[in-house]
Amino acid sequence: MSGDTPRPGSREGAAPGLPTRRLLVLGGGAAALTALAGCGLRLDLPQPPPPVPTRKPAPDERFILAVIKDLRSLVRAAGTLEPRGEARGVLRETVAAQRRQIAVLTGRLTNAGVPTAEITAATAPAPVTPVTPVTAPTSSGASASTGTPSSKPSTGSPSGVATVQTVAQLAAVLATISPDRWTALAGATPGTRDLVLAAWSSRLASAALLGAAVDPTATPSAARPRIIDQTSPLVYGFEVAAAQSTGAGRTRALTTLDALRRLDLAVAGSTTSTPGGWALPFPVTTPDEAQRLATHLLATAVDATVDVAGGKPDGPALDDTARWSGRVQALATGWGMPLAAFPGTSA
């Protein structure tokens, strides 16, 4: 027998020192890997994660998010103030209206598929540092609350509400909406444009009620003729209401009439004329009918806000309309009409 004769139980060609059974197992595994590789599977690398789906932005998404952020900043700023007298009620109504605006505009985004978490993260309000109010004497000897330390009223976008320390400063912020924001609003879709125009007119009404000047734009816009057409009949109607009222009702009607005459002069300029000849919506011969006429005229004017702006308004027309509407809304509160979140709309 030669020295290279295989031993019993061994296999010709097997590697020295490896049992035949182990070779069979290894060979089977290699065959399996080869078969799986032939099916296009890679077992030596982890599978790549699935692609993250890309969300299509909602219409006007970035603009609405900016508006919501401003509103949340204004609400937070109002919460740091402790007004007294009439300002307390105005501030309470303003915050209630702005909370409603936040809810409606947020719902507009969520209905369009924007996740709530993204809205919350993108609209975090600007921080406000509360201050301790101190009492300072006024020229009349009464006490007035002011912030410490004192600062100039904040202007510009509500993103600067961190400097708000007094009601007057908040009013100044409410009254200031920059031209670029009106231009951005003009470029929004009609639904968004109408809602935000109404919301910003309400904001300007609050500013006027809190003591800020809300004057018509210096240069008449394309909406000015429609503004004049709405204002002059208001003057005529309140002349009738004042004439048919008595006592405190007459005093209130005359006060509103004086404000409307000044508004009519402001929007019409030197071309204003004594109003007359407009048909009343119903006969007015008693004090009760005069009260009804006053509230009807003011409510109708406020409801016309979106129509006054026009079908395709530009930024100046929206600004002009909101300022006029804000002044009228401020007058309407004196006749028992609360501040509305979206005056003149169904929202």
Side-chain angles (χ1 to χ4, degrees), residues 144-331:
S145 179
T146 183
T148 303
S150 63
S151 64
K152 293 174 65 178
S154 176
T155 59
S157 168
S159 59
V161 294
T163 61
V164 169
Q165 299 175 354
T166 67
V167 170
Q169 290 173 342
L170 179 62
V173 172
L174 289 168
T176 306
I177 303 174
S178 60
D180 64 302
R181 306 201 74 201
W182 290 112
T183 299
L185 178 58
T189 59
T192 298
R193 186 183 65 225
D194 293 349
L195 281 178
V196 177
L197 169 61
W200 282 356
S201 71
S202 175
R203 164 180 166 169
L204 292 173
S206 294
L209 289 168
L210 292 173
V214 180
D215 298 322
T217 55
T219 302
S221 71
R224 189 61 64 89
R226 291 185 293 274
I227 290 174
I228 296 172
D229 288 345
Q230 287 285 335
T231 309
S232 295
L234 278 173
V235 176
Y236 172 70
F238 267 85
E239 285 185 337
V240 174
Q244 297 299 327
S245 298
T246 58
R250 177 177 172 80
T251 300
R252 180 169 60 166
L254 287 172
T255 300
T256 304
L257 174 60
D258 180 62
L260 287 171
R261 282 174 171 162
R262 285 185 275 111
L263 178 59
D264 190 39
L265 180 61
V267 297
S270 59
T271 61
T272 187
S273 58
T274 303
W278 287 280
L280 296 177
F282 46 80
V284 179
T285 58
T286 67
D288 286 344
E289 291 169 347
Q291 165 86 18
R292 179 187 169 202
L293 175 65
T295 55
H296 173 83
L297 291 174
L298 290 169
T300 300
V302 171
D303 286 344
T305 298
V306 172
D307 293 334
V308 167
K312 294 182 179 180
D314 57 10
L318 292 168
D319 188 359
D320 209 10
T321 299
R323 288 171 178 271
W324 167 81
S325 179
R327 293 272 293 271
V328 175
Q329 291 174 55
L331 292 175

